[in-house]
């Protein structure tokens, strides 16, 4: 397969996954902001969300107030924001178009119709009370695309590249969603473990579509420690860092098999997966959750570079 | 009062249905009022969803458009098709022989049958091709011949497209859509299949692989990229053939051989169906500032290590000025009378013919010799006084730069136009593949001028397409 095609497949999936996760991040920020009583409609929670998405600076260049309408517009529709849902969907479609011969009709139709529908949406029609259901529809279209990949794409190298991109992006985003909690300040330190704290953690769980699954694993109330454990280490949880890195390793293993030779980036992925399975929550809280997540995001980026190099992406 | 001067593909002059259209005509009569409208809408949904679009240059807001599709097919009887097929085969054979001759001994010029300056001073002539032997001696492997009809037995070739004829994906997708929309009609009529075109293209490409090609030839389609107006077609063909769709940046030349950059390193390429114009395929030989092509590609070609489809320099054979000589070309190389007619063309360099042309512009069609896509042309009957004055000046300034033909009474075909069925002018582009043998797909792309009275069928000028049904005996 052409190195450029592999890169396009990798990034196509990443952008679809990112679009979904931008909606998820916005969902956390939005739900948290509903409990705030800020002056002039500005929201600390939404600000935290922008920080976790590394989008605070770009946002502030364009807007003075961090309120729901402007943040939602920025995250969903602003094409100056390279990570807005609209930018992501556009890029995903462009990647897909470049590899029309490597993807299935079902995949193309799913992406193409998502793009056509999204590009026709009038922002003012969805930024009010319709926001939650609109975010839901963004997640749904990502689910549909993933379904098309799983249900129709041949299990050749192209599949492995597409899946790898998706998992790498998801790991990045789960780390960022968790990190929102770092930026959200509690009014007083004594409130750690209190109602507000737990409510914030719950919303993070919800953003990962994991609030019900949590109960089945922990048989317990929502607790910060467990929630972080769930989203970082539990391999049963398909949005956890451990699950994503294990899946990346498996996909790189699949490439080794197809190509009949091991690649150097595979080792790097294995190291990362091992890092995640060793240590556990004690290590995370010793190091500090935020520091741990920041370190993970950097390692994840490095892995992307290693993959690009091994397989001649350009 | 019906128009009588145009040949109607479906109706005889007395209003009865012509035999090839009998079943289709009955079917159309039996359709409830809203049915065709519904079919049209369904068709649009299919095309939109599949993303069968073409890009429009210079239009920001809608950079991708659908080509309008008409749900009423054009029908061609078996014996009509056999004649067309013979005529097309004769033409492409002669034109390939002509190309070989031009790039070798130039017998036809020496015999005084075609003026030398028409060839050697022509931009489409490629001096780098002199003395080069393309694999199997074939220059143009993929050809689209534009044909119009003016009467029951009167077919004219309007243009030969030997460089990069496009539209074949529409032929295939139009059929796909029709089989989806009106399967019952296919039960009633025996329509020749067009679906094996990609398979035939693959076979054609394999059959002209370089002699030194190791093992199974590796085939690629070379596209300028996703912003090209025909990108959909490029990806579609690569997909249907199972070939790799490449851009220039995906290929490189090393030691006189062409390779593509894959996830596993370099892989040899043997046959390239390039959809990039001659001038852009190799910055080392042609346009130096082009980023689309592959540096060194022409040297690899010259060394016989790769086949280019179509060969550089084939454009000389479909040049609008050379077109006027095709009947002589056929006679010179094959010693046969042309089966398909050329449209009579005025020679503006001759004083008397130019005088006639300038007097009668409102009845004539003027085309720029190097224009394409319906640009740079004057359709006399539909032109304004101002436009005619402009062209009159242009022709006098550069008589060689224009060909002038009478307005042909293009046949019409029943077409669904929103309110109902109305006759609209059509042309036909059948597709020919030349390799170990000549393969002509029964059918082709029928283009239809959707505007009432319009004779311009180009998609860039608002034309549409319809499926072409060649009936089997």
């Amino acid at each position: 397969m052409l190195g450029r095609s592999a890169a396009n497949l990798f990034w196509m999936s990443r952008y679809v996954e990112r679009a979904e996760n931008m909606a998820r991040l916005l969902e956390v920020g939005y739900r948290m902001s509903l409990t705030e009583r800020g002056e002039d409609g500005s929201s600390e929670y939404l600000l935290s969300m922008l920080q976790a998405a590394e989008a605070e600076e770009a946002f502030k260049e364009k807007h003075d107030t961090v309120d729901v309408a402007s943040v939602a517009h920025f995250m969903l529709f602003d094409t100056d924001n390279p990570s807005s849902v609209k930018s992501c969907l556009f890029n995903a479609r462009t990647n897909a178009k470049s590899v029309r011969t490597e993807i299935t009709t079902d995949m193309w139709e799913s992406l193409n119709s998502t793009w056509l529908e999204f590009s026709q949406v009038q922002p003012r029609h969805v930024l009010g009370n319709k926001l939650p259901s609109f975010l839901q529809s963004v997640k749904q279209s990502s689910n549909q695309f993933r379904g098309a990949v799983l249900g129709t794409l041949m299990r050749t190298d192209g599949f492995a590249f597409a899946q790898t991109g998706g998992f790498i992006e998801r790991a990045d985003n789960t780390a960022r969603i968790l990190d929102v909690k770092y930026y959200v300040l509690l009014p007083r330190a004594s409130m750690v473990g209190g109602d507000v704290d737990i409510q914030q953690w719950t919303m993070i769980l919800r953003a990962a579509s994991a609030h019900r699954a949590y109960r089945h694993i922990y048989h317990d109330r929502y607790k910060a420690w467990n929630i972080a454990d769930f989203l970082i280490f539990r391999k049963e949880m398909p949005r956890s860092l451990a699950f994503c890195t294990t899946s990346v390793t498996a996909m790189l293993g699949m490439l080794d098999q197809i190509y009949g030779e091991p690649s150097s980036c595979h080792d790097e992925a294995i190291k990362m997966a091992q890092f995640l399975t060793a240590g556990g929550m004690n290590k995370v809280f010793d190091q500090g959750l935020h520091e741990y997540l920041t370190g993970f995001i950097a390692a994840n980026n490095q892995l992307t570079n290693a993959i690009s190099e091994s397989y001649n992406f350009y | 009062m019906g128009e009588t001067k145009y040949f109607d593909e479906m109706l005889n002059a007395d209003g009865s249905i012509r035999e090839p259209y009998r079943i289709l005509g009955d079917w159309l009569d039996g359709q409830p009022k809203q049915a065709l409208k519904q079919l049209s809408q369904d068709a649009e949904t299919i095309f939109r969803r599949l993303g069968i679009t073409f890009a429009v240059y210079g239009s920001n807001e809608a950079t991708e458009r659908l080509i309008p599709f008409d749900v009423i097919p054009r029908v061609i009887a078996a014996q009509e098709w056999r004649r067309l097929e013979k005529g097309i085969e004769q033409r492409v054979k002669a034109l390939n022989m002509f190309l070989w001759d031009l790039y070798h001994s130039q017998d036809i010029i020496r015999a005084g049958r075609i003026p030398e300056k028409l060839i050697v001073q022509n931009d489409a002539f490629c001096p780098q091709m002199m003395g080069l032997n393309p694999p199997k001696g074939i220059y143009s492997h993929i050809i689209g011949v534009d044909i119009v009809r003016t009467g029951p037995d009167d077919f004219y070739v309007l243009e030969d497209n030997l460089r990069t004829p496009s539209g074949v994906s529409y032929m295939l997708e139009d059929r796909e859509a029709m089989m989806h929309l009106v399967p019952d009609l296919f039960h009633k009529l025996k329509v020749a299949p067009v679906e094996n075109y990609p398979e035939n293209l693959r076979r054609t490409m394999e059959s002209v692989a370089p002699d030194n090609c190791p093992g199974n030839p590796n085939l690629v389609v070379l596209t300028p990229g996703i912003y090209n107006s025909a990108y959909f077609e490029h990806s579609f063909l690569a997909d249907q053939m199972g070939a790799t769709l490449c851009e220039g940046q995906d290929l490189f030349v090393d030691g006189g051989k062409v390779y593509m950059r894959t996830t596993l390193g370099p892989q040899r390429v043997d046959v390239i169906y390039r959809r990039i114009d001659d001038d852009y395929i190799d910055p080392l030989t042609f346009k130096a500032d082009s980023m689309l092509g592959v540096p060194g590609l022409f040297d690899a070609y010259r060394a016989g290590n790769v086949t280019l489809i179509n060969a550089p320099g084939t454009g000389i054979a479909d040049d609008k000025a050379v077109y006027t000589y095709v009947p002589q070309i056929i006679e010179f190389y094959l010693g046969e009378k042309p089966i398909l007619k050329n449209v009579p063309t005025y020679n503006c360099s001759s004083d008397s013919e130019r005088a006639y042309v300038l007097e009668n512009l409102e009845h004539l069609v003027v085309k720029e010799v190097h224009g394409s896509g319906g640009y740079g042309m004057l359709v006399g009957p539909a032109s304004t006084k101002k436009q005619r004055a402009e062209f009159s000046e242009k022709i006098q300034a550069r008589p060689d730069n224009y060909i002038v033909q009478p307005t042909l009474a293009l046949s019409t075909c029943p077409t669904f136009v929103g309110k109902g069925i109305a006759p609209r002018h059509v042309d036909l582009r059948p597709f020919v593949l030349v390799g170990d043998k000549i393969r002509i797909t029964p059918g082709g792309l029928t283009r239809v001028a959707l505007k009432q009275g319009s004779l311009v069928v180009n998609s860039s000028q608002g034309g549409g397409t319809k499926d072409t049904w060649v009936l089997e005996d």
Side-chain angles (χ1 to χ4, degrees), chain B residues 4-13 18-21 74-77 79-81 83-84 147-156 340-341 409-412:
Chain B
T4 46
K5 61 177 177 160
Y6 298 112
F7 175 69
D8 189 315
E9 299 271 345
M10 184 161 93
L11 300 176
N12 290 310
R18 287 182 63 237
E19 180 53 27
Y21 277 82
R74 173 196 197 157
V75 183
I76 296 175
Q79 77 273 16
E80 290 172 340
W81 178 252
R83 195 167 142 242
L84 283 178
I147 294 173
V148 296
R149 183 178 203 180
T150 58
D153 295 312
D154 301 311
F155 291 95
Y156 289 89
L340 298 173
K341 284 179 266 192
L410 258 57
S411 64
T412 64

Side-chain angles (χ1 to χ4, degrees), chain B residues 249-265:
Chain B
Q249 51 171 322
D250 299 321
L251 302 179
F252 67 95
V253 176
D254 188 28
K257 300 190 173 81
V258 184
Y259 298 90
M260 57 184 192
R261 302 174 211 274
T262 78
T263 48
L264 279 175

Side-chain angles (χ1 to χ4, degrees), chain B residues 152-217:
Chain B
D153 295 312
D154 301 311
F155 291 95
Y156 289 89
V157 173
L158 209 52
E159 195 169 279
D160 307 283
N161 296 280
L162 285 88
R163 311 175 216 205
T164 45
S166 62
V168 76
S169 59
Y170 294 102
M171 168 182 85
L172 295 167
E173 291 290 11
D174 285 359
R175 174 61 54 85
E176 191 71 24
M178 289 302 277
M179 298 199 70
H180 186 85
L181 293 169
V182 289
D184 52 331
L185 261 176
F186 286 91
H187 279 302
K188 294 179 189 145
L189 283 159
K190 252 170 105 181
V191 180
V194 294
E195 291 83 348
N196 40 15
Y197 179 86
E199 175 62 28
N200 284 336
L201 177 55
R202 188 178 179 92
R203 278 202 248 166
T204 299
M205 283 176 72
E206 283 171 345
S207 75
V208 293
D211 288 336
N212 67 5
C213 160
N216 282 337

Side-chain angles (χ1 to χ4, degrees), chain A residues 1 4 93 97 259 314, chain B residues 64 231 250 261-263:
Chain A
M1 152 174 293
R4 186 175 55 85
R93 181 177 181 269
K97 202 170 165 183
Y259 290 155
Y314 54 93
Chain B
E64 287 178 13
Y231 176 77
D250 299 321
R261 302 174 211 274
T262 78
T263 48

